[in-house]
Amino acid sequence: RQGRSDNASDSMQVEVKLDKADLELLTAISPSVTAASGATRGGLVISGTLADPRVDGRIYVEDGSLTLATMHTAAEHIRMDLNFAGKTADWKLRSDIGGGVLTSEGDMYWDQAMPYRLQGTLRADRINPKSDYYNGTLNADLALGMEGGLPSIAGTVDTDHTKIDIPFTFSDSGEMMPIALDVAVRLGEGTRLYNSYLYDLDIDGEVHARGTTAAPDMSGRVNVRKGHLKYLNNKFRVAEGYADFNSGSGFLPNLYV
């Protein structure tokens, strides 16, 4: 490292070598990562200024694994390749998750330390990201981009033969940048909404998420085909019903049973 200053306009030249690095470092950086392994190779040269940095080099992983705190299934056989050239970067990623495959690739450009262009894809082919709240097959075909100055995700997510529970609370995203949404979620055959204390419902339908992760705008309808609800040790059979998401009403639907 040459030169040290807290002034964002001062120039810098920092070289980072990763010849002896390992993905296990992620467990120390993020509490959401409970386990990780895999040799990480490559190196970076960071230059320019803090306000307008340049990055050159490459980071790659040939066979890694990673487990998140919310997941019971590890991402295995991770192959990742990140290439940096000044103010641009491109990536390729492949991983096995729960019997299926997750892939992503794309590139981005930044200026003045802010993302300016982002374009890429994220695809899931019959993965099972098993967790306390989800267990079953998931397919996704998503486009990554920029919209209104925000990173964006658009496309479709499909489930079938899946058991889903809805958490009572959602983790706070803190100061993370909101993500613009345009995602259709299709609940296919054999989708079951299950909580041993509250409900056991066979459902299908489609919900469309727009807006942002900070302020989602939901539309669509989820149908209840059969099942039951529990309340104060009483069980109520549901012959039919539906949840109606009206655009503009936020995240919560109107329920009819």
Side-chain angles (χ1 to χ4, degrees):
R1 178 175 177 173
Q2 299 176 353
R4 179 176 180 177
S5 174
D6 294 328
N7 191 326
S9 63
D10 285 350
S11 62
M12 60 180 175
Q13 184 81 11
V14 180
E15 184 175 1
V16 181
K17 294 184 178 180
L18 300 173
D19 291 340
K20 296 183 180 180
D22 193 282
L23 285 179
E24 187 179 8
L25 179 63
L26 294 175
T27 61
I29 296 174
S30 173
S32 63
V33 179
T34 57
S37 65
T40 305
R41 299 289 184 258
L44 300 175
V45 175
I46 304 171
S47 59
T49 66
L50 291 176
D52 192 19
R54 295 176 57 89
V55 183
D56 293 274
R58 179 190 180 206
I59 298 174
Y60 63 97
V61 176
E62 294 182 338
D63 188 7
S65 66
L66 182 146
T67 304
L68 299 177
T70 55
M71 289 177 59
H72 305 313
T73 303
E76 299 177 308
H77 305 299
I78 297 171
R79 294 203 298 268
M80 179 183 69
D81 197 346
L82 302 173
N83 293 278
F84 298 84
K87 295 185 179 182
T88 66
D90 63 73
W91 74 88
K92 288 185 178 181
L93 171 70
R94 186 191 188 281
S95 178
D96 298 339
I97 301 178
V101 177
L102 179 74
T103 59
S104 179
E105 62 180 311
D107 60 74
M108 67 176 298
Y109 167 78
W110 65 88
D111 191 32
Q112 303 295 320
M114 293 296 292
Y116 181 74
R117 186 194 74 236
L118 169 67
Q119 56 185 16
T121 60
L122 177 63
R123 295 188 173 95
D125 182 10
R126 301 192 65 78
I127 68 172
N128 181 2
K130 186 177 180 181
S131 72
D132 291 339
Y133 304 108
Y134 188 95
N135 185 11
T137 302
L138 185 146
N139 293 285
D141 188 0
L142 301 170
L144 311 177
M146 296 288 293
E147 182 178 336
L150 296 177
S152 66
I153 299 177
T156 58
V157 175
D158 295 273
T159 72
D160 65 80
H161 297 92
T162 298
K163 184 166 70 173
I164 302 170
D165 189 10
I166 300 174
F168 291 111
T169 59
F170 294 88
S171 348
D172 186 359
S173 59
E175 297 181 0
M176 287 182 61
M177 178 181 291
I179 299 173
L181 300 172
D182 187 5
V183 179
V185 180
R186 297 191 288 247
L187 305 172
E189 181 182 355
T191 302
R192 180 182 177 197
L193 190 64
Y194 178 80
N195 181 293
S196 60
Y197 298 101
L198 296 174
Y199 45 72
D200 186 357
L201 304 168
D202 290 345
I203 61 175
D204 60 30
E206 181 171 330
V207 177
H208 205 126
R210 295 184 176 87
T212 69
T213 50
D217 182 11
M218 311 294 291
S219 61
R221 172 168 163 158
V222 175
N223 303 300
V224 178
R225 298 306 181 188
K226 63 179 180 178
H228 64 261
L229 300 172
K230 291 182 180 179
Y231 181 69
L232 297 178
N233 296 321
N234 296 307
K235 183 185 289 188
F236 301 92
R237 186 174 67 88
V238 178
E240 61 179 355
Y242 63 92
D244 188 19
F245 292 84
N246 294 314
S247 182
S249 62
F251 182 77
L252 297 177
N254 296 314
L255 299 176
Y256 303 90
V257 295

